[in-house]
């Protein structure tokens, strides 16, 4: 969508500039429209390229780590999510600062985040299900806009907001509402099952 609109702006600018006997004000308008179009094309190219790398890493992690039935998805870390995940580091983590976008695995143990090169991604943080109270679909503000998001509420009342990706150009935008609903249901089912299993184990101990 961004790429299509940007390309339209660029072509409109070209038409204005080449118009016969164009008034002088059209040059200024054409310059503004063309600049907006070029900026949009660059934004789509950079964002799309970054997401392409992220999607490739998602598949790599899924092939290598997701064979146990875990759900793998790519997501942007919104609001305080990076700070919150930073309080759940894994032993031997190779990074001090969490990325803006990462690969997540939700499995029987909990929720983990991965980053790094496509050829050799590594786990940088892990949140056990015992630390999570609820997973729900919501909306979060990103700049001047709002987007579908995943809100994860922790036992200490902190809320971690993620934006699962998977729609639009190169799947660089938030996943569709139906996909988000299915993701939330899956995560809640895994969480509820594992929490119940933990309680049973504690009762038998």
């Amino acid at each position: 969508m961004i790429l299509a609109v940007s390309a339209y702006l660029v072509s409109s600018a070209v038409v204005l500039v080449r118009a016969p006997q164009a008034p002088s004000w059209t040059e200024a308008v054409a310059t503004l429209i063309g600049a907006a179009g070029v900026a949009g094309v660059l934004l789509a190219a950079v964002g799309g390229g970054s997401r392409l790398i992220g999607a490739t890493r998602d598949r790599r992690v899924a092939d290598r780590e997701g064979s146990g039935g875990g759900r793998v998805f790519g997501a942007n870390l919104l609001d305080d999510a990076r700070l919150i995940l930073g309080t759940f580091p894994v032993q031997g983590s190779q990074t001090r600062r969490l990325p803006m976008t990462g690969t997540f695995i939700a499995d029987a143990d909990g929720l983990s985040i991965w980053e790094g090169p496509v050829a050799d991604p590594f786990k940088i943080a892990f949140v056990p299900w015992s630390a999570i109270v609820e997973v729900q679909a919501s909306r979060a503000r990103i700049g001047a806009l709002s987007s579908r998001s995943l809100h994860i509420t922790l036992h200490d009342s902190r809320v971690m907001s993620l934006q699962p990706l998977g729609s639009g150009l190169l799947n660089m935008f938030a996943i569709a509402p139906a996909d988000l609903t299915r993701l939330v249901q899956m995560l809640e089912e895994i969480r509820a099952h594992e929490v119940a299993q933990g309680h049973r184990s504690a009762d038998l101990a």
Side-chain angles (χ1 to χ4, degrees), residues 7-203:
Y8 171 77
L9 290 175
V10 172
S11 62
S12 298
V14 172
V15 170
L16 282 174
V17 169
R18 293 186 176 180
Q21 298 180 344
S24 59
W25 61 265
T26 60
E27 293 186 5
V29 172
T31 300
L32 291 175
I33 292 176
V38 169
V41 169
L42 290 175
L43 177 62
V46 172
S50 175
R51 182 59 205 137
L52 185 60
I53 294 173
T56 304
R57 183 180 60 225
D58 296 346
R59 291 192 296 271
R60 173 71 174 178
V61 171
D63 291 341
R64 196 176 75 180
E65 307 290 336
S67 58
R71 171 66 189 267
V72 177
F73 61 96
N76 290 327
L77 282 64
L78 307 179
D79 299 329
D80 294 332
R82 290 199 296 167
L83 293 176
I84 293 173
L85 281 170
T87 64
F88 291 92
V90 298
Q91 186 174 4
S93 175
Q94 302 176 44
T95 184
R96 294 182 179 178
R97 184 175 178 82
L98 272 71
M100 294 295 293
T101 302
T103 297
F104 287 81
I105 299 181
D107 57 21
D109 296 321
L111 189 68
S112 59
I113 178 175
W114 299 65
E115 72 155 355
V118 171
D120 189 25
F122 50 86
K123 182 161 62 175
I124 55 176
F126 171 74
V127 184
W129 291 120
S130 59
I132 297 174
V133 174
E134 185 181 35
V135 179
Q136 62 185 146
S138 186
R139 296 192 70 85
R141 294 204 64 80
I142 304 176
L145 305 175
S146 67
S147 174
R148 291 181 295 278
S149 62
L150 188 67
H151 282 201
I152 301 172
T153 304
L154 305 181
H155 272 288
D156 58 11
S157 299
R158 290 182 297 174
V159 177
M160 182 168 63
S161 298
L162 307 176
Q163 182 192 41
L165 303 170
S167 71
L169 177 67
L170 297 177
N171 289 329
M172 62 187 285
F173 300 105
I175 59 177
D179 293 332
L180 179 59
T181 298
R182 283 191 290 269
L183 176 60
V184 169
Q185 290 175 343
M186 179 178 292
L187 297 184
E188 269 292 272
E189 287 174 2
I190 297 173
R191 184 193 69 81
H193 178 267
E194 296 308 319
V195 169
Q197 288 288 96
H199 287 163
R200 286 196 203 95
S201 299
D203 291 339

